[in-house]
Amino acid sequence: MTVHDALFACLGLISAASAICAVTTRQIVHAALWLTVCLATLSGCYLVLGAELVALVQLLVYVGAVVVLVLFAVMLTRAPIGRSGDHDAPIMTRMAALVIAAATGGLLFSAFVSAFGTRRARIDSGTTTDLAQNLFGRFAWPFEVVSLVLLAALVGALAMIGSRRSGGGR
């Protein structure tokens, strides 16, 4: 076991534990903060694997933008910071979610074991130039359309909140 293996295992365990905490916590702000830890350690996993560009994009897009957007939405909607009965699920729903999650994890594990077994898979990674040509060439328009849809959703959410505060809604 090399230092890279140990570091990857440590970051993976922290990422998995923080993901479980993000899903199981009953406080919305804590869930967003645990999500931040999960995504940041996942970026560290990418860095250990030698995918520096993917690690940087993970930090910039997910940690820097998505989590900030989630926290921004929590603040705009004035969601309760502490525990809330509105966000609690019955025990049977939690157990059903646990069974489904365990079944999905077992299915993925068995699929990977049957596909790869104990042999090592060789990954033919492309270069940053290949990624840039695909992103700014072939996928430029879909990327722009997605950004416009997200912008429209944000403007719509702000409009709904503004009309609700001024007395126009509910």
Side-chain angles (χ1 to χ4, degrees):
M1 183 177 222
T2 65
V3 174
H4 288 280
D5 293 339
L7 188 59
F8 182 79
C10 181
L11 287 170
L13 286 174
I14 293 171
S15 181
S18 60
I20 290 170
C21 289
V23 172
T24 58
T25 187
R26 293 183 181 181
Q27 299 182 9
I28 295 175
V29 175
H30 289 180
L33 294 175
W34 280 118
L35 181 64
T36 305
V37 172
C38 176
L39 295 174
T41 53
L42 187 62
S43 176
C45 288
Y46 292 143
L47 198 60
V48 170
L49 291 174
E52 293 88 4
L53 180 68
V54 178
L56 181 65
V57 169
Q58 173 81 16
L59 275 177
L60 289 176
V61 173
Y62 289 106
V63 176
V66 171
V67 172
V68 169
L69 184 65
V70 167
L71 290 173
F72 183 68
V74 166
M75 288 187 291
L76 272 178
T77 58
R78 295 182 182 179
I81 299 297
R83 287 187 169 189
S84 171
D86 296 337
H87 303 287
D88 287 341
I91 191 72
M92 291 305 293
T93 305
R94 290 180 190 210
M95 289 301 130
L98 180 65
V99 168
I100 291 171
T104 304
L107 182 64
L108 284 173
F109 180 76
S110 65
F112 283 136
V113 167
S114 67
F116 298 111
T118 57
R119 65 185 166 97
R120 290 182 177 239
R122 186 166 192 279
I123 299 173
D124 184 27
S125 61
T127 63
T128 307
T129 306
D130 295 336
L131 178 65
Q133 286 174 347
N134 281 329
L135 186 61
F136 297 117
R138 192 169 57 170
F139 297 118
W141 283 108
F143 184 76
E144 290 300 323
V145 168
V146 167
S147 67
L148 287 175
V149 168
L150 289 174
L151 179 64
L154 183 61
V155 169
L158 288 172
M160 287 175 57
I161 289 170
S163 68
R164 192 182 303 171
R165 286 186 183 164
S166 64
R170 298 201 267 190

